[in-house]
Amino acid sequence: MKPVPSVIKKEMTLVNTTNFKQEMIYNGKSGSIARFLYREYSGNMARPAFSQELTYDLSSSKIIGFKEVRLEVINTTNTSIKYKVISGFRAPD
């Protein structure tokens, strides 16, 4: 039996001094639809109410955004993404 290949996930993460963490994780694509997972952590615990699945149609725009994050998508495959950060997460006040 062959082992199932693992999926490589790409992350953009902000961790600040109050131990608050935000992640936007690339989760592959289907056709022109790119999928991401957004998560927030406080301490080392994931807060389930602050997890969200995101989808973007790259045929309508190569610029994607969520909250204050803006990314220009350069290239995607089902397991990887190449992007330019236009703006990233801001630390909470």
Side-chain angles (χ1 to χ4, degrees):
M1 181 179 227
K2 287 185 173 181
V4 177
S6 61
V7 175
I8 299 170
K9 296 181 181 177
K10 303 296 179 181
E11 300 181 12
M12 170 186 286
T13 304
L14 167 78
V15 179
N16 69 15
T17 57
T18 61
N19 214 16
F20 176 74
K21 181 178 177 181
Q22 295 172 284
E23 294 180 328
M24 192 166 169
I25 303 168
Y26 179 65
N27 210 16
K29 75 172 192 168
S30 177
S32 64
I33 305 297
R35 300 183 189 290
F36 292 82
L37 178 63
Y38 171 78
R39 295 189 296 206
E40 292 181 359
Y41 298 87
S42 182
N44 292 324
M45 304 293 290
R47 301 189 307 178
F50 292 93
S51 294
Q52 186 172 354
E53 292 183 22
L54 310 169
T55 58
Y56 298 95
D57 185 351
L58 298 177
S59 68
S60 63
S61 177
K62 297 294 183 188
I63 306 292
I64 62 172
F66 181 74
K67 295 194 173 204
E68 62 275 358
V69 173
R70 297 293 176 272
L71 305 175
E72 178 182 357
V73 177
I74 298 165
N75 187 36
T76 58
T77 69
N78 195 42
T79 59
S80 67
I81 184 170
K82 184 175 181 180
Y83 61 91
K84 176 182 172 186
V85 177
I86 297 169
S87 62
F89 291 118
R90 287 180 290 166
D93 296 330

